[in-house]
Amino acid sequence: MARRSKIVSSTLIAGALLLTSLGLGGIAMSAETPAAKSAGGGVTAAHAARAGHAAHAGHTMAASSASSPEDPDGDGYIPANPPVTGVTPSTKEPPHRYFHEFQANCSVSHTKPDDPIVYPQQPGASHDHTFMGNTTTDAASTTASLDAGRTTCKAPGDKSGYWMPTLSNGDRPVLPIGPQTIYYKAGVTDYTSVRPFPKGLRFVVGDPMQTAEEFRRHPGFVEGWECGDSFFNVEFPKDCPSRPEVQLNIRFQAPSCWDGKYLDTPDHRSHMAYPVVNPGTNNNVCPADHPVALPMIEFKMAFPVNGDLSRARLASGPSWSFHYDFFNAWDAPTLKALVDHCVVGALQCDARGYDQTHPEAGAVLDENYELP
């Protein structure tokens, strides 16, 4: 199935309004008028009709009016230094392997109504987010500050920031417990062409202002919301068994093709694209304007809630407003070793870079999840 990028631009109409604090690590719901947006930048009736979840949007895809240390002119473009040039999308077909992945297992660290990608240097401007990985992530975060921070990921070398809208059931925040599964996979057929993320790359996956139908048809949609034996749901499942071992889950994939030019763009998406199908084949390749194959991140989140989910809601709005953010701050040698061994090497690795079905390949990281 072709995975195509959604390049969306937006115009900020109103600022954020902080509504209420729930008192858990800074959990708060925020509200703001949504930006009217379309692929061409104009206002359409479909987008105007989305005012229904304006009251909890708090996350428009506009270039921020505030500058940051990495974007001093505030235009939303952060150039890669150096850029990656001279790359064409690979159409090679290496030997078929079912797996080419490793895991980053990261726990929830904190919650805040911040977003250093969409609202840099603007604390409290976003709807509430649940943060994993880097423990310092907030509105002021930069590549340098994340580098200096600590992490809840099993691998100390992964100081990346991962975040998503906070889920609440009624007035009670529901935070994932324990290490969550964040896959790093090959999104293209030529898994040998995948290279590590550049330091400082950041992007938003999905759109808090998307409709239910856009969520269902999004190229990152894997199995939607699932609970018990209920799968592929756009809305939170109504038949979620009330058993201790049952949790609400979602899986969602990120774009994995990079333009090689920018670490961020004003809409926080245009520098990234989903793979497409190479005409005349069943192979996935990167599009010509985004030729650099990077790992495809897949969130697999488990929320400890079940039973009656009629009062469940995301800080960004209804169930179909799910999205997430990624800000790369991996230690470069550690990330390269895992990508080369597990993705390029076509293995199914855990967070140590070890494949139980191929013990002869060994592990990338030691018992402390560090490079030996």
Side-chain angles (χ1 to χ4, degrees):
M1 176 180 178
R3 300 187 175 279
R4 302 184 182 278
S5 63
K6 285 189 171 184
I7 300 176
V8 183
S9 60
S10 308
T11 303
L12 185 62
I13 295 178
L17 174 64
L18 185 63
L19 288 185
T20 179
S21 175
L22 299 178
L24 176 59
I27 289 181
M29 297 294 192
S30 64
E32 73 178 28
T33 305
K37 54 186 173 48
S38 72
V43 178
T44 66
H47 285 93
R50 298 180 189 180
H53 74 110
H56 24 261
H59 200 317
T60 53
M61 295 295 119
S64 170
S65 60
S67 63
S68 73
E70 294 176 288
D71 179 24
D73 60 4
D75 68 352
Y77 289 96
I78 301 178
N81 185 22
V84 175
T85 59
V87 176
T88 56
S90 175
T91 57
K92 295 179 182 177
E93 295 186 48
H96 176 72
R97 296 290 186 273
Y98 191 77
F99 294 107
H100 9 68
E101 64 185 45
F102 68 91
Q103 296 182 21
N105 297 138
C106 308
S107 302
V108 170
S109 57
H110 61 288
T111 63
K112 273 181 178 290
D114 285 5
D115 191 318
I117 296 177
V118 179
Y119 294 115
Q121 311 299 314
Q122 299 175 72
S126 174
H127 55 246
D128 198 69
H129 283 111
T130 294
F131 292 87
M132 295 170 291
N134 201 294
T135 61
T136 69
T137 312
D138 61 16
S141 291
T142 62
T143 304
S145 73
L146 294 178
D147 246 349
R150 300 176 67 86
T151 184
T152 64
C153 300
K154 286 184 177 179
D158 185 6
K159 296 184 179 181
S160 302
Y162 307 88
W163 61 96
M164 58 190 171
T166 298
L167 173 71
S168 294
N169 192 24
D171 294 331
R172 182 177 66 88
V174 180
L175 305 181
I177 298 173
Q180 298 300 294
T181 301
I182 302 169
Y183 290 108
Y184 282 62
K185 302 182 173 184
V188 293
T189 299
D190 183 11
Y191 52 85
T192 67
S193 68
V194 176
R195 64 179 70 192
F197 291 116
K199 198 69 163 283
L201 181 74
R202 66 209 74 179
F203 51 82
V204 178
V205 183
D207 184 350
M209 297 304 297
Q210 64 205 349
T211 65
E213 182 64 13
E214 286 171 334
F215 175 63
R216 187 179 71 83
R217 294 182 177 277
H218 194 281
F221 188 97
V222 180
E223 293 181 355
W225 293 102
E226 54 187 38
C227 193
D229 294 326
S230 182
F231 302 91
F232 299 104
N233 295 289
V234 170
E235 298 183 7
F236 296 126
K238 293 181 174 59
D239 52 349
C240 187
S242 297
R243 297 196 302 269
E245 72 276 11
V246 174
Q247 298 191 78
L248 177 68
N249 292 269
I250 190 167
R251 296 176 65 175
F252 209 84
Q253 293 178 338
S256 59
C257 297
W258 179 43
D259 66 6
K261 301 174 183 177
Y262 297 104
L263 301 178
D264 197 11
T265 43
D267 66 1
H268 316 297
R269 297 188 180 115
S270 298
H271 54 310
M272 300 296 296
Y274 284 89
V276 297
V277 174
N278 190 25
T281 74
N282 291 319
N283 297 338
N284 287 332
V285 298
C286 283
D289 55 355
H290 292 75
V292 185
L294 302 177
M296 174 176 278
I297 287 178
E298 179 181 309
F299 263 33
K300 185 179 180 182
M301 302 289 110
F303 301 88
V305 64
N306 54 42
D308 180 10
L309 299 182
S310 61
R311 299 182 64 203
R313 194 165 189 81
L314 295 171
S316 53
S319 55
W320 54 82
S321 70
F322 181 79
H323 59 286
Y324 61 89
D325 301 52
F326 170 67
F327 194 142
N328 177 44
W330 274 90
D331 168 68
T334 303
L335 179 60
K336 178 173 171 50
L338 285 164
V339 170
D340 289 350
H341 184 73
C342 302
V343 180
V344 175
L347 298 174
Q348 185 184 24
C349 295
D350 61 15
R352 285 190 59 211
Y354 178 74
D355 185 343
Q356 292 185 350
T357 63
H358 291 282
E360 74 282 357
V364 174
L365 307 180
D366 63 20
E367 61 275 8
N368 297 315
Y369 295 88
E370 297 179 312
L371 285 174

